[in-house]
Amino acid sequence: MCTKTIPVLWGCFLLWHLCLSSSQTIYPGIKARITQRALDYGVQAGMEIIERMLKEKKLPDLSGSESLEFLKVDYVNYNFSNIKIRAFSFPNTSLAFVPGVGIKALTNHGTANISTDWKFESPLFQDTGGADLFLSGVYFTGIIILTRNDFGHPTLKLQDCHAQVSHAHVSFSGELSVLYNSFAEPMEKPILKNLNEMLCPIIASEVKALNANLSTLEVLTKIDNYTLLDYSLISSPEITENYLDLNLKGVFYPLENLTDPPFSPVPFVLPERSNSMLYIGIAEYFFKSASFAYFTAGAFNVTLSTKEIAEIYILSQPFMVRIMATEPPVINLQPGNFTLDIPASIMMLTQPKNSTVETIVSMDFVASTSVGLVILGQRLVCSLSLNRFRLALPESNRSNIEVLRFENILSSILHFGVLPLANAKLQQGFPLPNPHKISFVNSDIEVLEGFLLISTDLKYETSSKQQPSFHGWEGLNLISGQWRGKSAP
C-alpha cells in the first residue's frame, strides 16, 4: 500500500510545482524590439562613436628587443609610447543576431594610421623621435553576449574574440630617418605580434568599462512627488535570427510603497514587423499601474476655487469644488481606441461671509475620456478629451436642486478647470526608454488590444544633449486649495 502511494505523492508534488512555477511567471509592462535595421544603422552610427573613442583612447606602450644581424647589432631595445590612432577605415563591418546567444560583430580589410613616439637603445647608439605606423588587413570577430544582473541592469560579455592585423608599416621621422627606416622592416614583425596579442584584451576592457556604466543606470526612477517608475529588465534579452527583445518591468509605484499593484501583467505579443528599427510595446498594465499608484498616493484628490462659476450659477457667493477619485481610473485599450474612465465624487461647498463652510451638495460621477497619443521626440505625449459623464445625484437632493444645473456646473468644471490643467502637464510627456544620444525619428503609434505599439527609426545625435527628465502628475499639486503648476524634481 505504501509503495503504491509514493508515485502518487511524487505526481502531486510535480503538479504542485508546475502550478507554482506558472503562477510566478512575470510578464513585462514594456517590451522593446530591436530589428536588423537597427543593427545595420548601428554599424553606421557606431563608426562615429568608435572613431571618437579611439582618438581619445590612450593605447598601451609597445616595447621589446630585437637583434639586427645585417647591421651586426646584437640587440636594439625599443619602446613606442604615446600611441594615438589618427584615422581608420573599417569598410566591411556587420552586426548580426545569433539566435539564443547574442550579437556577432565582424569587420575585415580594415586600415588604421597611428602616430607614436619612440625610443631606441643599443650598444652602438640611443635616440628618440616620432614615427607613423600604417596598419592594414585589420580583422575582428566576436560575439556580444547580453544578459541581466540581479538588479535588472543589462550586462555585456565578449565571447569568441579574434582580432588580427595582417600588415604593419613603420615610417620614422627625424634627421636620421633614412637610417632608422632601413631597419624598420625587421621590427614590423614583433610590432604585429604585440598588437595582435593586445587587441582582444583591449576590446574586452572596453566592454568591461561599458558594463560599469550600464550598472549605474537608474532602472528605478523618481517621476514626481507621487510615483516611481521601474524600468528594470525582468529577464535576459530574447534573441532570434531577426530581432532582439528586451522585457522591462514597466510598473509605477507610489513613492512611499514599492509593493506591486494588486493585479498582474498579462502576456502580449508584438506583431512580426521589420520595417522600423525599434518597436516598443507598452502594455495596458503599465497604465493601470500608473493609475493605481497615483490614486494610492492621493494625486487625484483636488480642491478647486471656482469663483467665476459660482457667479454664474449661484449668484455671487464664494464657491469651491472638492473632487476625489473613489477608485483608480479605469484604463481600456482596444484597437484604435484608448479610454480612461474616472470614478469620482464631487462636493460643492460655499462659505458665506462670517460663516463656516457649508456643503451645498455632494454626488458621485464617472467621467469618460478619450486619450489622444502622439510621439514628440523621445516622449509619449497624452491628452484627455471628455466624452461624457454620468451623475448619480442623491435622491434627497432631487426635489431641491435642479439636476440640469449641476450637470452644467460639472461640465464647466471639467471642461474649463480640470482637463486644461491636466493636459498642460501631460504635454510634457513621458520619456520613452532609449539609449543616450539616440533620438526617435519617423515615429508612429497604434492602439492595439491590450497594448500600445510604437514603431520608430533611430538617429544618433553627435552633439551632447541633456537627458530628458521624467514628468508625471506632480504639476497637479494643490496648495491652499488652488491649482499650482510645479516642475518635477
Side-chain angles (χ1 to χ4, degrees), residues 41-162:
Y41 177 72
V43 171
Q44 175 187 339
M47 289 299 104
E48 298 180 31
I49 300 173
I50 293 173
E51 181 177 9
R52 185 176 65 253
M53 180 188 74
L54 290 179
K55 287 183 176 180
E56 296 173 354
K57 179 73 176 177
K58 182 179 179 182
L59 298 178
D61 293 354
L62 285 173
S63 60
S65 180
E66 291 294 323
S67 62
L68 303 178
E69 297 180 359
F70 69 99
L71 292 178
K72 307 298 184 182
V73 177
D74 293 336
Y75 69 90
V76 172
N77 294 329
Y78 63 87
N79 179 264
F80 292 92
S81 61
N82 195 27
I83 303 173
K84 294 183 178 179
I85 298 177
R86 299 299 183 186
F88 71 93
S89 174
F90 297 148
N92 298 319
T93 302
S94 64
L95 295 172
F97 296 113
V98 181
V101 180
I103 297 175
K104 182 178 181 179
L106 173 66
T107 186
N108 53 32
H109 303 301
T111 60
N113 289 293
I114 298 174
S115 66
T116 179
D117 298 330
W118 55 263
K119 180 179 180 180
F120 291 154
E121 292 181 352
S122 77
L124 299 179
F125 62 90
Q126 64 178 23
D127 200 0
T128 61
D132 293 319
L133 178 62
F134 177 71
L135 306 178
S136 61
V138 179
Y139 172 85
F140 165 76
T141 183
I143 297 177
I144 301 297
I145 307 297
L146 297 96
T147 57
R148 67 178 290 274
N149 63 17
D150 294 337
F151 301 98
H153 296 109
T155 61
L156 309 176
K157 180 182 177 182
L158 180 63
Q159 178 178 292
D160 299 336
C161 177
H162 179 68

Side-chain angles (χ1 to χ4, degrees), residues 230-241:
D230 191 338
Y231 265 149
S232 60
L233 282 171
I234 62 172
S235 62
S236 294
E238 301 171 4
I239 304 173
T240 71
E241 186 177 356

Side-chain angles (χ1 to χ4, degrees), residues 5-39:
T5 304
I6 292 176
V8 176
L9 291 176
W10 270 109
C12 292
F13 171 77
L14 292 174
L15 181 62
W16 171 82
H17 182 73
L18 179 62
C19 293
L20 180 63
S21 299
S22 62
S23 66
Q24 293 178 338
T25 301
I26 301 176
Y27 297 109
I30 296 177
K31 185 187 288 283
R33 173 166 294 175
I34 300 169
T35 68
Q36 182 62 49
R37 284 196 65 217
L39 293 190

Side-chain angles (χ1 to χ4, degrees), residues 319-324 345-349 359-363:
F319 180 56
M320 289 183 297
V321 173
R322 185 170 297 156
I323 300 176
M324 294 177 291
S345 65
I346 181 171
M347 183 179 295
M348 299 185 182
L349 309 166
T359 301
I360 301 174
V361 68
S362 64
M363 64 194 84

Side-chain angles (χ1 to χ4, degrees), residues 177-197:
S177 60
V178 176
L179 172 63
Y180 297 138
N181 286 329
S182 67
F183 60 81
E185 186 175 351
M187 297 188 63
E188 291 169 358
K189 184 176 180 180
I191 289 174
L192 276 178
K193 181 176 181 296
N194 285 340
L195 275 175
N196 288 333
E197 290 175 352

